[in-house]
């Protein structure tokens, strides 16, 4: 199997196959949410939101793959209720939601058709239900999903290329779900957010131009990464023996304690770039996701997310496959993966990686495309069963319409996070730069890990002179 960065680059050089990429793009288009599916989900979401607001006065905020426009046909809708009540806990709020939906399920005159309402007593309580044949997961005051939504949206906008990041997410999720059968944290496998996090680093290390190349990079990581000794992070591999001492105390004077050097330097790099930003983006900055650009995006999101007091002190807990959350270094996105499923994930990724490597060496274009259709047969069959045949090449205008996120929902999420934290989220670049400069002295005292570089103050004085 090809291994090492040099051999990986040689492999991705041969993945620039126009015939195969065109066919894979047709496959991706089949999984992209159609306008009818988006409108249908938006209608049901509004109906459910209006019903709960009318009965309980609660406001729903949607996150996950649905507002990001990367959901598969069988995906559920994730939403939270932001409760500001000091007397009612999250569990109490969800119990009221559960009773309301139970009553709606028994009411024949209810405007929404509710079925199979369940209250899941877990570490994070969740109400599950089916509304008009769409699955909903409702939680309370769990803001991590909203932060992930705004973060991934920023990455997609910065990378651009007709939503290359979102199209890659759809292809990799479809492969994990329909072909490899390794998607689903409830079954001890990869979570959706873990897949999205793994896809961040390849855009920095490799010049990826198509979702097919991203899928190959994704398989390569699952198959060749040293999961026994290292944890996977957007900053690069982190030794496992450095993770045991990471902790976060949002009520103290620092964000993290004993942060690994690689993560610490990554955050400092993002801090330097954020403070040095002039507030004006060069058009050439878009379309390329460098390590500096990623560090800046993560720092701006990371500081606001981890400096709030919405979550108690947490520690990183190593598992079989450790994937560090880019917005919370104490959160292990691989904690759901069991030892048995970990071995299965590596085996499936290795098998398909080697198959693709061999198929790309077939010289006849038509034969090569036919073999790839056979390779993706489970994905093509799922499209035929769930959606019917709509295979055609999608132009760029269609892609922008299909993958452009709902600005109304994003604006509501931004306003909620702004009110909860008193900080700016996904704001304009000029406003973000102004706030960073205003809070410059305040941020220096938050954490020793985010302290300015020695000599930085002297450099600023020289500039003023």
């Amino acid at each position: 199997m090809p291994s090492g960065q040099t051999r990986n680059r040689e492999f991705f050089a041969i993945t620039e196959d126009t015939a195969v990429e065109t066919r894979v793009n047709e496959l991706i288009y089949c999984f992209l949410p159609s306008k009818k599916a988006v409108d249908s989900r938006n209608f049901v979401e509004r109906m459910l939101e209006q019903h709960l607001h009318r009965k309980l006065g609660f406001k729903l905020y949607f996150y996950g793959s649905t507002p990001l426009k990367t959901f598969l046909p069988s995906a559920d809708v994730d939403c939270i209720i932001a409760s500001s009540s000091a007397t009612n806990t999250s569990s109490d709020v969800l119990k009221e939601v559960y009773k309301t939906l139970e009553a709606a399920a028994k009411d024949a005159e209810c405007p929404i058709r509710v079925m199979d309402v369940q209250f899941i007593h877990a570490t994070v309580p969740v109400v599950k239900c089916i509304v008009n044949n769409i699955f909903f997961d409702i939680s309370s005051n769990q803001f991590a999903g909203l932060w992930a939504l705004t973060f991934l949206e920023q990455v997609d906008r910065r990378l651009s290329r007709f939503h290359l990041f979102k199209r890659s997410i759809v292809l990799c999720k479809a492969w994990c779900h329909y072909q490899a059968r390794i998607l689903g944290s409830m079954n001890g496998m990869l979570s959706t957010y873990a897949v999205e996090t793994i896809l961040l680093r390849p855009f920095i290390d490799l010049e990826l131009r198509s979702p097919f190349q991203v899928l190959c990079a994704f398989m390569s990581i699952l198959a060749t990464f040293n999961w026994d000794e290292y944890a996977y992070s957007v900053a690069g591999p982190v030794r496992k023996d450095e993770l045991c001492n990471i902790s976060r105390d949002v009520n103290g004077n620092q964000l993290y304690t004993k942060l690994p050097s690689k993560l610490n330097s990554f955050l400092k790099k993002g801090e330097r770039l954020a403070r040095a930003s002039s507030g004006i983006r060069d058009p050439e900055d878009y379309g390329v996701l460098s390590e500096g650009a990623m560090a800046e995006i993560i720092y701006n999101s990371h500081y606001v997310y981890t400096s709030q007091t919405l979550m108690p002190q947490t520690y990183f807990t190593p598992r079989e496959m450790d994937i560090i959350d880019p917005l919370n270094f104490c959160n292990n996105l691989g904690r759901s993966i069991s030892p048995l499923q970990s071995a299965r994930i590596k085996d499936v990724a290795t098998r398909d990686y080697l198959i693709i490597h061999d198929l790309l060496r077939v010289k006849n274009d038509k034969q090569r495309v036919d073999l790839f259709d056979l390779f993706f047969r489970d994905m093509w069959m799922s499209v035929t069963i769930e959606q019917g045949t709509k295979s055609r090449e999608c132009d760029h205008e269609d892609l922008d319409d299909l993958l452009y996120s709902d600005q109304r929902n994003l604006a509501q999420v931004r306003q909620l996070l702004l009110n909860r934290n008193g900080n700016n989220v996904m704001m304009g670049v000029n406003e973000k730069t102004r706030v960073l400069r205003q809070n410059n002295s305040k941020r220096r005292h938050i954490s020793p890990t985010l302290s300015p570089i020695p000599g930085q103050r002297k450099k600023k004085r020289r500039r003023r002179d």
Side-chain angles (χ1 to χ4, degrees):
M1 177 187 302
S3 61
Q5 192 173 26
T6 303
R7 300 181 70 181
N8 269 336
R9 291 184 184 278
E10 293 176 357
F11 170 66
F12 286 110
I14 67 173
T15 60
E16 296 182 2
D17 188 312
T18 304
V20 172
E21 287 182 352
T22 300
R23 186 58 173 164
V24 172
N25 287 336
E26 294 177 5
L27 177 60
I28 295 172
Y29 177 68
C30 293
F31 285 105
L32 290 180
S34 63
K35 187 178 185 303
K36 180 179 179 181
V38 172
D39 292 342
S40 175
R41 288 194 172 219
N42 289 340
F43 175 76
V44 177
E45 289 172 3
R46 287 195 300 269
M47 293 291 290
L48 177 61
E49 182 180 1
Q50 292 172 3
H51 182 74
L52 292 179
H53 188 269
R54 183 171 59 252
K55 295 292 184 180
L56 301 173
F58 292 152
K59 169 69 176 174
L60 285 181
Y61 296 89
F62 299 92
Y63 66 95
S65 59
T66 299
L68 196 64
K69 298 291 186 69
T70 58
F71 62 89
L72 298 179
S74 57
D76 55 8
V77 178
D78 298 310
C79 53
I80 73 162
I81 295 173
S83 174
S84 59
S85 175
T87 57
N88 292 340
T89 63
S90 298
S91 182
D92 295 334
V93 171
L94 291 180
K95 286 178 181 178
E96 295 182 28
V97 173
Y98 173 76
K99 293 177 182 178
T100 302
L101 294 177
E102 273 283 296
K106 299 175 183 178
D107 186 3
E109 298 181 356
C110 183
I112 57 176
R113 189 172 68 257
V114 183
M115 300 182 297
D116 195 20
V117 184
Q118 304 176 41
F119 185 89
I120 308 298
H121 297 273
T123 306
V124 178
V126 178
V127 173
K128 292 180 174 287
C129 63
I130 303 175
V131 181
N132 292 20
N133 297 324
I134 298 177
F135 291 84
F136 281 81
D137 287 354
I138 306 174
S139 57
S140 177
N141 291 341
Q142 299 297 320
F143 296 94
L146 299 181
W147 284 111
L149 170 63
T150 59
F151 166 65
L152 295 173
E153 184 67 28
Q154 287 183 79
V155 172
D156 180 69
R157 292 182 183 182
R158 185 65 179 270
L159 186 61
S160 188
R161 300 188 197 174
F162 303 103
H163 303 284
L164 174 59
F165 183 61
K166 289 186 179 181
R167 288 185 287 139
S168 302
I169 290 175
V170 172
L171 178 62
C172 292
K173 284 173 59 177
W175 175 78
C176 289
H177 181 66
Y178 295 106
Q179 184 151 329
R181 313 287 180 181
I182 57 175
L183 187 67
S185 57
M186 298 295 292
N187 299 320
M189 293 179 285
L190 289 168
S191 66
T192 299
Y193 188 35
V195 172
E196 294 163 345
T197 300
I198 291 174
L199 295 183
L200 295 174
R201 187 68 199 184
F203 285 103
I204 299 174
D205 294 334
L206 302 167
E207 296 180 1
L208 303 177
R209 297 181 176 86
S210 69
F212 175 64
Q213 289 182 321
V214 178
L215 176 63
C216 294
F218 177 69
M219 293 179 183
S220 174
I221 291 170
L222 293 180
T224 64
F225 188 80
N226 187 357
W227 297 102
D228 296 330
E229 298 182 8
Y230 293 91
Y232 186 89
S233 77
V234 68
V238 179
R239 292 193 62 86
K240 284 194 173 186
D241 53 11
E242 297 182 291
L243 298 174
C244 300
N245 297 323
I246 300 181
S247 64
R248 180 170 60 84
D249 186 1
V250 296
N251 296 316
N253 296 322
Q254 55 187 12
L255 297 179
Y256 294 103
T257 60
K258 299 182 180 179
L259 195 65
S261 58
K262 180 165 288 189
L263 298 178
N264 189 24
S265 60
F266 188 78
L267 274 186
K268 284 184 176 180
K269 185 174 185 178
E271 182 185 23
R272 290 196 302 271
L273 292 173
R275 290 179 176 176
S277 175
S278 62
I280 301 176
R281 291 287 180 203
D282 192 315
E284 295 181 358
D285 290 343
Y286 295 89
V288 178
L289 201 62
S290 63
E291 186 172 41
M294 179 65 73
E296 183 181 355
I297 294 173
I298 288 180
Y299 173 76
N300 289 333
S301 301
H302 190 97
Y303 170 78
V304 178
Y305 174 57
T306 54
S307 63
Q308 56 178 306
T309 57
L310 298 177
M311 296 179 66
Q313 181 177 356
T314 55
Y315 301 88
F316 190 92
T317 306
R319 290 290 188 267
E320 295 296 322
M321 297 178 67
D322 296 325
I323 305 170
I324 301 175
D325 186 347
L327 299 182
N328 179 6
F329 291 158
C330 292
N331 184 25
N332 187 359
L333 301 179
R335 64 183 180 276
S336 63
I337 303 174
S338 64
L340 181 62
Q341 297 296 350
S342 172
R344 183 172 174 272
I345 290 171
K346 298 171 188 176
D347 291 343
V348 172
T350 302
R351 179 199 67 193
D352 285 8
Y353 184 87
L354 291 173
I355 292 175
I356 287 180
H357 189 272
D358 292 338
L359 292 182
L360 286 172
R361 299 188 180 279
V362 177
K363 295 183 178 180
N364 184 279
D365 287 352
K366 186 179 184 306
Q367 185 179 6
R368 187 167 62 254
V369 171
D370 291 341
L371 288 173
F372 267 98
D373 279 347
L374 184 62
F375 173 75
F376 290 120
R377 63 187 180 280
D378 292 338
M379 296 167 65
W380 281 113
M381 287 178 62
S382 66
V383 168
T384 304
I385 293 172
E386 295 187 8
Q387 296 180 327
T389 303
K390 65 167 188 175
S391 174
R392 66 178 178 85
E393 187 174 358
C394 182
D395 59 29
H396 293 152
E397 291 184 1
D398 290 338
L399 285 175
D400 195 56
D401 291 339
L402 292 176
L403 294 173
Y404 192 69
S405 297
D406 184 4
Q407 298 305 299
R408 174 177 170 271
N409 179 71
L410 283 176
Q412 292 176 348
V413 169
R414 287 196 296 267
Q415 188 61 42
L416 170 67
L417 298 177
L418 176 64
N419 295 337
R420 298 288 298 191
N421 302 292
N423 289 290
N424 293 276
V425 184
M426 286 187 67
M427 62 185 77
V429 179
N430 291 326
E431 185 181 359
K432 183 184 296 182
T433 304
R434 178 179 59 80
V435 173
L436 284 172
R437 289 173 178 172
Q438 287 178 352
N439 297 337
N440 199 15
S441 59
K442 179 180 177 182
R443 291 190 179 188
R444 287 195 184 106
H445 299 289
I446 291 178
S447 170
T449 61
L450 298 180
S451 58
I453 299 176
Q456 185 177 16
R457 186 184 299 274
K458 294 181 180 180
K459 289 183 180 179
K460 287 189 175 180
R461 287 179 179 174
R462 291 194 189 104
R463 292 195 195 103
R464 290 173 185 172
D465 296 339

